[in-house]
Amino acid sequence: MHFRLSARSVFIRLLLVLLLSAALGFIFGVALPALLIATLALLIWHYHHLFKLIDWLWKSKAISPPQSEGIWGRIYDGLYRQIKQQRNKQKALNERIRRFRDGAEALPDAALVLADDLTIQWGNKKAHRLLGIRWPGDLGQRIDNLLRAPEFAKYLETGVYDAPCLLVSPVNNEVQLELRLMAYGSDQILLLARDISRIHRLEEMRRDFVANVSHELKTPLTVVRGYVEMIQTTEHALDPHWLQAFNTIESQVTRMDRLVEQLLILSRVEIQADIETNTPIAMPRLISQLVDDAQWLNQEKQHKITLELDEDLGITGIDTEIKSACANLISNAISYTQANGNIQVRWCQDGNKGIFSVKDDGPGIRPEDINRLTERFYRVDKSRSRDTGGSGLGLAIVKHVLHHHNAELGIHSQVGKGSEFVIYFEQSRLIDLSETQVQEGAALTDA
């Protein structure tokens, strides 16, 4: 029920009461005292209800308001109506919170709600099992004060949460966790921690299996290659039929040997993921050496290879891995570009990034194939890969190497117009070779 009260109606009512009391007093000859008594009675009545309202709001535990008539009755009813609406809203809000907590507790992951300053606001029971964080016991604590893993501190320092953070559970050393941070509402952060121990163990088993099998295949392949070469170089001339057969065996053994070597490199790169052996790398010298070493692949096709190198720009990283990644991109360009084609190899700085680029004018790559090029054993054209000796592992190796170095691989290609493979290195890895050489020279002089 809607109630409206205007100043005009209040004034009219008050005036009527005063006029009536003055009229009665005038009849009995006491007009002024009657008017004063009526005014005093009105004040007493209003203050009485005002004290009742204060007592109900601040002292009484009753939900129902005091009983009254007139304006104060409407005031009590309006306040009671507002209280009921507020209680209904509070009930609905509590129900939503209960559903949220029930849903969060049903998650298979540990969940923490953090404030902007990384203080803990809420957590589920899985957070205690996986992270050792109790709620509400750790309410208001900073998450980095409770999770003191160096990799997590570095992850928070970067402020970039696109990729997950991997760390060992502080509660159980055998549990491997994957942490993700994401915006939650306007001023909160949601942290999710997932147990990936089983996936981690399966990945380790896969890596060990590939490494062991590849290593075991090296010996029989070497033996087969040795016997084939011995037969091919025998003094007695072989029948043309057998000569062709042994040449086919030799080419297939070479292809198998190259595949095994690529598998071993891939396994070694994956195993070295957590090993910090970063050293200064003179990229111009390394790239020039790779191009010189790859010229024997170019003897048949006679590509025109041009180099554009910044002689003063280097990086810090794992020398063997960077060499493997660059060699794969150069050899791919040589293998898949038609005879007498053009290949441009470039190393320079563009803005705040170091760029290693290999561009060719080969057949190009279809857009639907570009996103799958870094998958193991993926080939755009299986028949062509067999002809060129490709294993489908080169770009998978490049992907893992770049992941270790926080670098990115960009692939730009148009069918019939060629392809360009670009490695982007972060500014934090770039070094000035001229300053490095000066420091090395000074150190040698002091020695």
Side-chain angles (χ1 to χ4, degrees):
M1 180 178 177
H2 187 66
F3 172 69
R4 294 184 61 183
L5 181 66
S6 63
R8 181 181 177 183
S9 62
V10 172
F11 179 76
I12 291 175
R13 290 182 183 182
L14 181 60
L15 185 61
L16 288 175
V17 170
L18 292 178
L19 288 175
L20 181 62
S21 61
L24 291 175
F26 180 77
I27 293 174
F28 294 101
V30 286
L32 184 60
L35 188 61
L36 291 176
I37 292 172
T39 304
L40 183 61
L42 284 173
L43 288 175
I44 293 173
W45 184 74
H46 282 294
Y47 270 103
H48 169 68
H49 286 288
L50 182 62
F51 285 126
K52 287 177 65 177
L53 176 62
I54 294 173
D55 185 68
W56 176 54
L57 292 177
W58 292 96
K59 297 180 181 179
S60 176
K61 295 181 179 180
I63 299 177
S64 300
Q67 297 296 321
S68 181
E69 299 292 337
I71 294 177
W72 281 102
R74 297 301 183 97
I75 293 175
Y76 290 147
D77 292 341
L79 289 174
Y80 180 63
R81 181 168 172 268
Q82 292 293 328
I83 291 174
K84 285 185 64 177
Q85 290 179 352
Q86 188 65 29
R87 287 175 63 85
N88 291 334
K89 290 180 180 178
Q90 188 68 37
K91 278 185 178 181
L93 181 61
N94 291 339
E95 181 65 19
R96 291 182 182 180
I97 294 175
R98 186 189 64 79
R99 290 180 181 178
F100 164 77
R101 290 183 176 178
D102 291 343
E105 293 294 349
L107 288 174
D109 307 331
L112 291 174
V113 177
L114 310 176
D116 277 341
D117 58 356
L118 300 180
T119 55
I120 298 172
Q121 303 295 312
W122 182 85
N124 62 0
K125 294 179 181 177
K126 288 286 179 65
H128 174 55
R129 299 176 192 170
L130 297 180
L131 301 174
I133 295 176
R134 298 175 179 270
W135 187 85
D138 293 326
L139 179 65
Q141 294 284 341
R142 281 181 60 93
I143 185 65
D144 50 354
N145 290 337
L146 301 177
L147 294 181
R148 295 183 175 273
E151 53 268 34
F152 183 63
K154 186 176 180 181
Y155 183 70
L156 292 177
E157 184 179 353
T158 60
V160 179
Y161 307 135
D162 296 336
C165 174
L166 302 180
L167 74 156
V168 178
S169 170
V171 179
N172 187 349
N173 292 333
E174 297 182 357
V175 176
Q176 185 77 20
L177 299 178
E178 178 188 81
L179 268 64
R180 288 186 178 273
L181 273 72
M182 60 201 74
Y184 183 70
S186 59
D187 57 351
Q188 292 179 321
I189 299 173
L190 180 63
L191 183 150
L192 295 177
R194 175 173 297 179
D195 183 359
I196 58 169
S197 304
R198 183 172 177 273
I199 299 175
H200 187 69
R201 285 192 294 269
L202 290 174
E203 189 67 18
E204 286 185 342
M205 291 172 60
R206 181 194 61 77
R207 288 201 300 262
D208 293 342
F209 173 77
V210 172
N212 293 334
V213 170
S214 302
H215 183 74
E216 292 299 325
L217 285 174
K218 288 288 290 184
T219 300
L221 286 174
T222 303
V223 173
V224 172
R225 178 189 292 277
Y227 278 113
V228 169
E229 291 178 351
M230 182 181 67
I231 294 173
Q232 287 177 326
T233 58
T234 185
E235 296 180 359
H236 304 288
L238 292 175
D239 185 88
H241 172 72
W242 288 107
L243 182 61
Q244 181 182 359
F246 279 107
N247 287 337
T248 303
I249 294 174
E250 194 273 338
S251 65
Q252 293 301 316
V253 169
T254 300
R255 182 169 174 269
M256 281 290 295
D257 189 55
R258 188 179 296 113
L259 174 61
V260 169
E261 187 64 30
Q262 292 279 58
L263 284 172
L264 286 173
I265 293 174
L266 181 59
S267 299
R268 188 161 57 247
V269 168
E270 290 179 332
I271 292 172
Q272 290 178 347
D274 300 326
I275 301 177
E276 295 290 341
T277 56
N278 292 327
T279 57
I281 302 173
M283 288 294 288
R285 185 169 66 240
L286 182 144
I287 295 169
S288 299
Q289 181 183 353
L290 290 176
V291 173
D292 292 339
D293 293 342
Q295 288 296 346
W296 68 273
L297 292 174
N298 197 29
Q299 293 177 1
E300 181 181 351
K301 293 186 175 181
Q302 294 297 312
H303 297 116
K304 180 183 178 182
I305 303 178
T306 58
L307 285 174
E308 181 185 339
L309 304 176
D310 186 342
E311 298 294 339
D312 294 331
L313 184 64
I315 65 170
T316 58
I318 304 174
D319 180 80
T320 55
E321 292 191 1
I322 295 296
K323 184 176 181 180
S324 176
C326 296
N328 272 296
L329 295 185
I330 294 173
S331 62
N332 281 350
I334 293 175
S335 299
Y336 296 123
T337 302
Q338 66 276 6
N340 301 317
N342 296 303
I343 298 175
Q344 299 175 6
V345 180
R346 188 163 58 102
W347 167 247
C348 63
Q349 184 172 354
D350 185 3
N352 60 351
K353 291 184 181 292
I355 292 179
F356 173 74
S357 168
V358 179
K359 186 176 182 180
D360 62 63
D361 57 357
I365 306 168
R366 295 175 301 178
E368 59 268 23
D369 292 322
I370 290 179
N371 292 333
R372 299 192 60 190
L373 287 179
T374 56
E375 296 179 9
R376 293 180 178 91
F377 302 108
Y378 182 77
R379 294 166 176 169
V380 175
D381 187 342
K382 294 180 173 59
S383 61
R384 187 182 70 174
S385 295
R386 292 191 183 96
D387 294 337
T388 57
S391 62
L393 292 174
L395 291 179
I397 294 173
V398 173
K399 182 184 73 171
H400 283 281
V401 169
L402 300 189
H403 178 69
H404 297 173
H405 294 79
N406 297 323
E408 297 179 0
L409 176 65
I411 304 174
H412 314 285
S413 182
Q414 290 185 4
V415 177
K417 295 185 178 181
S419 305
E420 182 180 13
F421 290 79
V422 186
I423 298 176
Y424 300 96
F425 293 97
E426 295 294 333
Q427 187 177 18
S428 57
R429 289 197 173 269
L430 303 182
I431 59 175
D432 190 337
L433 293 178
S434 60
E435 293 182 0
T436 304
Q437 291 171 358
V438 169
Q439 292 174 357
E440 291 175 353
L444 291 173
T445 302
D446 294 340

